[in-house]
Amino acid sequence: MLGLLGFYDELDNCPDQPNGSIRDAVQPVGEPDEADLVAYLDAGHGLIDVMEAGHDVLTGSAHRHSLGCSSLVTDGAWLWRQDFPHYVEMHHVQLPEAFIEHVRVLNYQMPALITAKFAPHYNETMPVVGWASAVPWPSTVAVLEPEPRAVTSKAEFDAAMLAQERNRPNGNWAKPRKPRGA
């Protein structure tokens, strides 16, 4: 079975998720190489794309992974939600020591996915995370090489949010208009 990262109770509004409560995983500071770990998580192989928008379950704010937040990503040994790097970056959620060592041994480089090795682990893991309908592994290629994924950086996201606030100085566009005089 694949190792699981970021499958917290609060993210699916469902208790008994594999990683428990995110509140128990939050730390005041992250690993010394946290930026490299986040970049590794951002570079994972996309498995399932989910069309949705979410928010940070701890702050209620939008974040750089809000769109498609529960999409699934892997490196062939571990499986995580697309929004997991946000929680590592912003809330320094605790990472399993085995995962940290795994990534450091790979020198923070995303490995290729060997379908024959990966498929049995995928098929075993997907029902555990609520995706039994996604079994069996549908890949038709022998090796999936890492491909660059377009991931907005935190700085880019923060700049876009600031620009959006400047364009709407009086609040949300959805705010009702004042009635016109008769």
Side-chain angles (χ1 to χ4, degrees), residues 27-50:
Q27 303 180 107
V29 295
E31 295 292 323
D33 55 349
E34 184 175 84
D36 292 325
L37 293 166
V38 168
Y40 180 86
L41 290 165
D42 278 339
H45 299 276
L47 292 178
I48 296 177
D49 289 322
V50 179

Side-chain angles (χ1 to χ4, degrees), residues 106-177:
L106 291 170
N107 199 26
Y108 311 98
Q109 299 300 307
M110 186 58 54
L113 222 81
I114 311 299
T115 299
K117 288 182 181 178
F118 177 69
H121 301 296
Y122 172 93
N123 294 341
E124 181 183 11
T125 306
M126 296 312 283
V128 173
V129 295
W131 282 94
S133 63
V135 172
W137 172 243
S139 182
T140 57
V141 297
V143 178
L144 292 174
E145 294 295 336
E147 294 180 11
R149 290 190 314 132
V151 178
T152 304
S153 72
K154 181 177 177 341
E156 292 168 332
F157 179 80
D158 290 344
M161 293 303 290
L162 184 60
Q164 183 178 12
E165 287 175 21
R166 280 193 298 247
N167 289 338
R168 298 187 214 170
N170 296 320
N172 191 328
W173 282 345
K175 193 162 102 177
R177 294 178 66 176

Side-chain angles (χ1 to χ4, degrees), residues 35-68:
D36 292 325
L37 293 166
V38 168
Y40 180 86
L41 290 165
D42 278 339
H45 299 276
L47 292 178
I48 296 177
D49 289 322
V50 179
M51 299 285 293
E52 68 176 345
H55 61 279
D56 183 314
V57 297
L58 298 172
T59 66
S61 301
H63 56 81
R64 68 188 185 96
H65 291 293
S66 288
L67 298 178

Side-chain angles (χ1 to χ4, degrees), residues 5-14 17-26 57 81 84 87-88 93-95:
L5 302 168
F7 292 91
Y8 297 114
D9 297 344
E10 297 85 353
L11 298 178
D12 286 324
N13 292 323
C14 181
Q17 290 295 310
N19 298 123
S21 173
I22 193 170
R23 286 172 173 75
D24 296 336
V26 172
V57 297
R81 290 170 46 108
F84 185 61
Y87 293 100
V88 174
V93 295
Q94 187 172 10
L95 295 166

